[in-house]
Amino acid sequence: MNGIRSRLRKALAKVKKALPWIIAAAALVVLLGMGVKNGVEMRSAFVYKDHLKDTAVTVDGEDLTFKDLAFYVVYEEYQVQKSAYVYDHEKPANYWNSHVNGHFISVEARNIAMDMAVHDHILLRMAQSDGVVLSSEEKAELESRRTDFFEDLYDDQMERLPVSYSVLNGTMEDIAVVEKYRKQLAVSHNDTYASYGYDGKAYLELQKKHEVKVNKKLWSKVPMGRVTLNNEADFQAANGKQNYFREGTDQKK
């Protein structure tokens, strides 16, 4: 009996001695598992069309989906791509991978698209509250602007639009109302039209009164420059710290 107890004590002593190593090994396995999971999530291609019903941002308790923000993604990609072709006509993706003020162009474009969407939503609700509507002349001007917008888009964009024309048209009408209201705000506050833009001083002060919560987990995955554009993704940013994947695949280019 004493022999059995002695062997048990020795076995327990060995386990106790090895316990820190067992715990460390278990923790390492957990960390490695999390790393693999995060790596897979980071590498998974984000297809914009698959997230149209997901919330991109919540403004004053009102959810705006990726569908609601589609116009801003299309518009900003078009604007940046014009500069990208000037920078490198053969490979505009190089421009999207360059830096401005410490930020990647693609990241900055994504941030601007969100800023414009939040700005327009806040001012739209204010305009609607004040009863601002478009006149017949302003509606006619809007139709002309719509035509110009779609004619100016690149062929790739027209083929890869993430939403219907009616959705984009609806957003453009809302923006027209916002622009009209901006002019009224500028006059009534003896300020400039630019001051009520998405990065204007007056608007930024106004925005502080509103609650804005961006769905960073999803919005940060939007591959600006490759949602409506077919830019090659065969480069690595920041010395390999940021990999780009072609939308709709899990293959690094």
Side-chain angles (χ1 to χ4, degrees), residues 1 24-25 29 35 41 57 62 68 74 76 106-108 112 116 122 124 129 152 157 184 206 210 223 225 237 240 247:
M1 187 69 177
V29 170
E41 290 180 348
V57 60
E62 185 175 352
D68 296 323
V74 175
E76 189 61 18
S106 57
V107 174
E108 193 72 6
I112 290 175
M116 289 191 298
I122 290 175
L124 177 64
S129 179
D152 288 343
Q157 291 189 285
Q184 294 180 3
L206 176 65
H210 298 268
E247 185 181 12

Side-chain angles (χ1 to χ4, degrees), residues 3 21 53 57 59 64 74 80 87-88 91 109 132 153 160-161 172-173 188 199 210 242 246:
W21 293 100
K53 294 182 180 181
V57 60
V59 182
L64 300 181
V74 175
V80 176
Y87 181 85
D88 190 337
K91 197 172 183 181
V132 176
L153 291 181
R160 295 160 59 99
L161 291 177
M172 282 188 271
E173 183 169 356
S188 63
D199 58 351
H210 298 268
Q242 180 176 348
R246 186 178 297 282

Side-chain angles (χ1 to χ4, degrees), residues 132-146:
V132 176
V133 295
L134 299 177
S135 65
S136 56
E137 291 80 6
E138 290 165 338
K139 288 182 179 180
E141 181 181 350
L142 172 60
E143 286 303 317
S144 178
R145 292 168 62 182
R146 279 172 173 163

